[in-house]
Amino acid sequence: MNCIHCLIVCGGGRAVKSAKEGLFGVMELSKEILSDFLCPVGSNLKPNNEADLSIKMQNLPSNGKQCSAKIDLLGSLTLLFLQILRKIPGPRSLPVIGAQWMYWKLTGKYTYEKYHESNEEKLKLFGQVVREDVMWNFPLIHIFDSKDIDTILRHPSRYPLRPPNEADVIYRQSRPQFYNNIGMVNENGENWHFLRSRLTPPLTSPATLKHYATHMDGIAQDLVNLIRHTKSSVDSTVTNFKELIYKAGLEVVCMVALERRMGFLEPSIGFSTQHIIDCVTGFEESSSQLMYGLPFWKYLQRLPFWKHLPASFMGFFTNLMECKDFLFQTFSALVDETLELNELEGCGNPDSILNSLLGVQDIEVKDVKASVVDYITAGMDTIGNSMIFLIANLAKHPEVQTKLQGELDQVLPNCSDVSPEKLRELPYLKACVMESFRMYPTASQIARITEKELTLSSGHQLPQHSVVLCHHRIASLQEENFSRAKEFIPERWLPGRALGNHSHNLVLPFGSGKRMCPGKRLAEQELYIISAKLFQNFKIELTAPLELEFNYLLTPAGPVGLKLTERDC
């Protein structure tokens, strides 16, 4: 196969561009490695060291006729990059598939659903920094040391780099009628900064928090009513609490993003409402399968007849596209309705997130619609998972639950409404949420692309453009970072009550720094209000131990059964 063919098949043109601009995404560099396998490095181009390489990259030819020189020089860069990272210990790597054999039924101990457990074992076997080769033997670096995590996440950067979700990127690029760009989560550099600075300010305003608090309280009460309608009259159990809490999370994020109630918490819901729920969950499941499964779909989707391939080849990618299409079209129509109402009735509520976004001058309506879909798909299961983890922790520790209910009864007598003012008087509730975030953050690791060469505390070198996963959850469960780290002790977060070791910077459930989730305050407020309502009204017990699985996020496995006994409040 000649070099021009390599560039076409492997995306070499984009890879060269990213190398020249100084950005290697996970998949781009993987393609470069494949190009290096197929195109031998020219000895006359191979640099002697990194300084020599840097000089040569500055003069990288742009003429299409110099394709061979580009790919040869790119191969040299890849080899230098890998030579440094190969010094980091890690599981055995096989040609092409890397260490992915660890997650296959016939050859490995784990599955992708137990990815979080495999990372705990990597720490035990290989230490605080581990190299795991993924497809095409691309090295992914796992970081477990708290000091190294801090070094990477707090590295001064104007535009922090993170790997994109490639399936979502390909989908957006195939839908120019819906999307102007690949989305704030996937973008890097100036494009990311432009979107972030325009689309997120309404989510962080104190006025916005206050505006939605009353709606959140109403939704929480509707959840309580639905639980009463659903639970068994014999033993007060709910067999599938996960479904109920996801519906509540979806109702809240739709209220926040669309300024309207959708009816997900009605005892019986219509087909279109259920289809929205199915598409949100379908998109998340497909994204996880595409990210961690074999990558053949990326190449098959380039074929003109890919839609007619058997479902076993393209099922997850087809499902992702169908789900996202439906969600965009559905929510796009609701945004259009809001625009029409604003024109008829004058300017809408200034504290509404949707109206604020529609009022941004240099953002198109298409971008607002895309953001609405992003907020909704990101918010449902992240909030739902966090809520289940909190409830499970309190259910496993009845003494903590009793203490929390005492605080709620004192501050919110007679099951009164939860307001932002009342939340300020609930320090133990906030301590319980923080401790649950420490032990079970649904976003249990943070990905970054290093912008400069870094030296880790172990002495290992990370070259510029290394892709790293910072495992803040695993670090938070280490005794050197938190005393009695495996115990659920909310008191450690009360003023003056820290227990010896207390590395609070490791608790990062919403990400870190400039790329932190912009909806952090809204999500926290929702968790406070819903948990306050639930524990005001019920004593809650688990009917079976909570199991964990990894589906892009750390999630509860199975339906989650609870026993909810009524309280007098």
Side-chain angles (χ1 to χ4, degrees), residues 3 8 85 99 109 114 125 130 155 189 254 400 407 437 463 517 561:
C3 291
I8 294 172
L85 293 180
K109 180 179 177 181
K114 293 299 181 181
L125 293 177
V130 179
H155 182 78
C254 284
V400 177
E407 180 181 74
F437 280 155
C517 172

PDB file of all heavy atoms in Angstrom, residues 3 8 85 99 109 114 125 130 155 189 254 400 407 437 463 517 561:
ATOM      1  N   CYS A   3       1.921   5.415   0.132  1.00  0.00           N
ATOM      2  CA  CYS A   3       1.691   6.419   1.172  1.00  0.00           C
ATOM      3  C   CYS A   3       0.439   7.231   0.916  1.00  0.00           C
ATOM      4  O   CYS A   3      -0.231   7.649   1.861  1.00  0.00           O
ATOM      5  CB  CYS A   3       2.898   7.335   1.275  1.00  0.00           C
ATOM      6  SG  CYS A   3       4.344   6.494   1.949  1.00  0.00           S
ATOM      7  N   ILE A   8      -5.277   8.412   2.718  1.00  0.00           N
ATOM      8  CA  ILE A   8      -6.719   8.389   2.499  1.00  0.00           C
ATOM      9  C   ILE A   8      -7.407   7.458   3.485  1.00  0.00           C
ATOM     10  O   ILE A   8      -8.374   7.813   4.149  1.00  0.00           O
ATOM     11  CB  ILE A   8      -7.017   7.949   1.056  1.00  0.00           C
ATOM     12  CG1 ILE A   8      -6.502   8.993   0.074  1.00  0.00           C
ATOM     13  CG2 ILE A   8      -8.509   7.728   0.847  1.00  0.00           C
ATOM     14  CD1 ILE A   8      -6.576   8.570  -1.377  1.00  0.00           C
ATOM     15  N   LEU A  85       7.105   6.450  26.192  1.00  0.00           N
ATOM     16  CA  LEU A  85       5.989   5.898  26.954  1.00  0.00           C
ATOM     17  C   LEU A  85       6.143   4.404  27.208  1.00  0.00           C
ATOM     18  O   LEU A  85       5.568   3.874  28.158  1.00  0.00           O
ATOM     19  CB  LEU A  85       4.677   6.176  26.226  1.00  0.00           C
ATOM     20  CG  LEU A  85       4.269   7.654  26.163  1.00  0.00           C
ATOM     21  CD1 LEU A  85       2.955   7.819  25.424  1.00  0.00           C
ATOM     22  CD2 LEU A  85       4.158   8.260  27.556  1.00  0.00           C
ATOM     23  N   ALA A  99      -3.739  -4.147  24.737  1.00  0.00           N
ATOM     24  CA  ALA A  99      -4.139  -4.893  25.944  1.00  0.00           C
ATOM     25  C   ALA A  99      -5.639  -5.138  25.990  1.00  0.00           C
ATOM     26  O   ALA A  99      -6.174  -5.481  27.051  1.00  0.00           O
ATOM     27  CB  ALA A  99      -3.691  -4.131  27.188  1.00  0.00           C
ATOM     28  N   LYS A 109      -9.797 -11.421  32.175  1.00  0.00           N
ATOM     29  CA  LYS A 109     -10.441 -11.564  33.479  1.00  0.00           C
ATOM     30  C   LYS A 109     -11.632 -10.633  33.630  1.00  0.00           C
ATOM     31  O   LYS A 109     -12.536 -10.874  34.422  1.00  0.00           O
ATOM     32  CB  LYS A 109      -9.401 -11.279  34.570  1.00  0.00           C
ATOM     33  CG  LYS A 109      -9.892 -11.383  35.985  1.00  0.00           C
ATOM     34  CD  LYS A 109      -8.754 -11.096  36.964  1.00  0.00           C
ATOM     35  CE  LYS A 109      -9.245 -11.134  38.410  1.00  0.00           C
ATOM     36  NZ  LYS A 109      -8.139 -10.840  39.364  1.00  0.00           N
ATOM     37  N   LYS A 114     -16.794  -3.962  33.707  1.00  0.00           N
ATOM     38  CA  LYS A 114     -16.036  -3.969  34.956  1.00  0.00           C
ATOM     39  C   LYS A 114     -14.680  -3.260  34.780  1.00  0.00           C
ATOM     40  O   LYS A 114     -13.705  -3.556  35.466  1.00  0.00           O
ATOM     41  CB  LYS A 114     -15.817  -5.413  35.424  1.00  0.00           C
ATOM     42  CG  LYS A 114     -17.118  -6.105  35.836  1.00  0.00           C
ATOM     43  CD  LYS A 114     -17.793  -5.395  37.004  1.00  0.00           C
ATOM     44  CE  LYS A 114     -19.073  -6.079  37.426  1.00  0.00           C
ATOM     45  NZ  LYS A 114     -19.754  -5.368  38.559  1.00  0.00           N
ATOM     46  N   LEU A 125      -0.930  -3.987  40.577  1.00  0.00           N
ATOM     47  CA  LEU A 125       0.097  -4.754  39.874  1.00  0.00           C
ATOM     48  C   LEU A 125       1.261  -3.904  39.377  1.00  0.00           C
ATOM     49  O   LEU A 125       2.413  -4.352  39.385  1.00  0.00           O
ATOM     50  CB  LEU A 125      -0.529  -5.488  38.686  1.00  0.00           C
ATOM     51  CG  LEU A 125      -1.516  -6.612  39.010  1.00  0.00           C
ATOM     52  CD1 LEU A 125      -2.104  -7.177  37.719  1.00  0.00           C
ATOM     53  CD2 LEU A 125      -0.846  -7.715  39.816  1.00  0.00           C
ATOM     54  N   VAL A 130       0.527   3.798  34.984  1.00  0.00           N
ATOM     55  CA  VAL A 130       0.407   2.552  34.228  1.00  0.00           C
ATOM     56  C   VAL A 130       0.149   2.882  32.759  1.00  0.00           C
ATOM     57  O   VAL A 130      -0.644   3.774  32.444  1.00  0.00           O
ATOM     58  CB  VAL A 130      -0.746   1.680  34.775  1.00  0.00           C
ATOM     59  CG1 VAL A 130      -0.889   0.385  33.968  1.00  0.00           C
ATOM     60  CG2 VAL A 130      -0.541   1.371  36.254  1.00  0.00           C
ATOM     61  N   HIS A 155      -2.298  22.094  35.582  1.00  0.00           N
ATOM     62  CA  HIS A 155      -1.300  22.682  34.689  1.00  0.00           C
ATOM     63  C   HIS A 155      -1.888  23.916  34.010  1.00  0.00           C
ATOM     64  O   HIS A 155      -2.968  23.850  33.428  1.00  0.00           O
ATOM     65  CB  HIS A 155      -0.870  21.663  33.635  1.00  0.00           C
ATOM     66  CG  HIS A 155       0.182  22.162  32.710  1.00  0.00           C
ATOM     67  ND1 HIS A 155       1.509  22.237  33.059  1.00  0.00           N
ATOM     68  CD2 HIS A 155       0.112  22.655  31.445  1.00  0.00           C
ATOM     69  CE1 HIS A 155       2.210  22.726  32.058  1.00  0.00           C
ATOM     70  NE2 HIS A 155       1.395  22.993  31.060  1.00  0.00           N
ATOM     71  N   GLY A 189      -9.208  24.006  21.838  1.00  0.00           N
ATOM     72  CA  GLY A 189      -8.645  25.254  21.353  1.00  0.00           C
ATOM     73  C   GLY A 189      -9.636  26.408  21.329  1.00  0.00           C
ATOM     74  O   GLY A 189     -10.547  26.502  22.146  1.00  0.00           O
ATOM     75  N   CYS A 254     -34.922  18.726  31.424  1.00  0.00           N
ATOM     76  CA  CYS A 254     -35.804  19.299  30.396  1.00  0.00           C
ATOM     77  C   CYS A 254     -36.421  20.610  30.886  1.00  0.00           C
ATOM     78  O   CYS A 254     -36.564  21.565  30.107  1.00  0.00           O
ATOM     79  CB  CYS A 254     -36.899  18.305  30.009  1.00  0.00           C
ATOM     80  SG  CYS A 254     -36.338  16.968  28.949  1.00  0.00           S
ATOM     81  N   VAL A 400     -26.327   7.335  59.909  1.00  0.00           N
ATOM     82  CA  VAL A 400     -26.126   8.574  59.165  1.00  0.00           C
ATOM     83  C   VAL A 400     -27.465   9.075  58.624  1.00  0.00           C
ATOM     84  O   VAL A 400     -27.755  10.280  58.682  1.00  0.00           O
ATOM     85  CB  VAL A 400     -25.131   8.352  58.000  1.00  0.00           C
ATOM     86  CG1 VAL A 400     -24.989   9.634  57.172  1.00  0.00           C
ATOM     87  CG2 VAL A 400     -23.777   7.921  58.541  1.00  0.00           C
ATOM     88  N   GLU A 407     -31.726  16.604  60.981  1.00  0.00           N
ATOM     89  CA  GLU A 407     -31.445  17.938  60.453  1.00  0.00           C
ATOM     90  C   GLU A 407     -32.586  18.418  59.567  1.00  0.00           C
ATOM     91  O   GLU A 407     -33.024  19.580  59.664  1.00  0.00           O
ATOM     92  CB  GLU A 407     -30.140  17.921  59.669  1.00  0.00           C
ATOM     93  CG  GLU A 407     -29.755  19.281  59.081  1.00  0.00           C
ATOM     94  CD  GLU A 407     -28.472  19.240  58.276  1.00  0.00           C
ATOM     95  OE1 GLU A 407     -28.511  18.700  57.147  1.00  0.00           O
ATOM     96  OE2 GLU A 407     -27.441  19.741  58.767  1.00  0.00           O
ATOM     97  N   PHE A 437     -19.923  11.775  46.656  1.00  0.00           N
ATOM     98  CA  PHE A 437     -19.115  12.156  45.497  1.00  0.00           C
ATOM     99  C   PHE A 437     -17.693  11.606  45.605  1.00  0.00           C
ATOM    100  O   PHE A 437     -17.089  11.204  44.610  1.00  0.00           O
ATOM    101  CB  PHE A 437     -19.039  13.680  45.373  1.00  0.00           C
ATOM    102  CG  PHE A 437     -20.242  14.323  44.740  1.00  0.00           C
ATOM    103  CD1 PHE A 437     -20.552  15.651  45.016  1.00  0.00           C
ATOM    104  CD2 PHE A 437     -21.046  13.642  43.860  1.00  0.00           C
ATOM    105  CE1 PHE A 437     -21.641  16.269  44.426  1.00  0.00           C
ATOM    106  CE2 PHE A 437     -22.150  14.249  43.257  1.00  0.00           C
ATOM    107  CZ  PHE A 437     -22.434  15.566  43.543  1.00  0.00           C
ATOM    108  N   PRO A 463       5.620  12.625  27.445  1.00  0.00           N
ATOM    109  CA  PRO A 463       5.879  13.566  26.354  1.00  0.00           C
ATOM    110  C   PRO A 463       4.670  14.474  26.134  1.00  0.00           C
ATOM    111  O   PRO A 463       3.546  14.176  26.564  1.00  0.00           O
ATOM    112  CB  PRO A 463       6.083  12.653  25.139  1.00  0.00           C
ATOM    113  CG  PRO A 463       6.291  11.278  25.683  1.00  0.00           C
ATOM    114  CD  PRO A 463       5.579  11.236  26.993  1.00  0.00           C
ATOM    115  N   CYS A 517     -17.754  20.773  34.363  1.00  0.00           N
ATOM    116  CA  CYS A 517     -19.135  20.808  33.896  1.00  0.00           C
ATOM    117  C   CYS A 517     -19.785  22.143  34.253  1.00  0.00           C
ATOM    118  O   CYS A 517     -19.826  22.525  35.429  1.00  0.00           O
ATOM    119  CB  CYS A 517     -19.930  19.665  34.528  1.00  0.00           C
ATOM    120  SG  CYS A 517     -21.699  19.750  34.201  1.00  0.00           S
ATOM    121  N   GLY A 561     -33.311  -2.083  43.754  1.00  0.00           N
ATOM    122  CA  GLY A 561     -34.525  -2.233  44.561  1.00  0.00           C
ATOM    123  C   GLY A 561     -34.395  -1.548  45.905  1.00  0.00           C
ATOM    124  O   GLY A 561     -33.349  -1.619  46.557  1.00  0.00           O
TER     125      GLY A 561
END
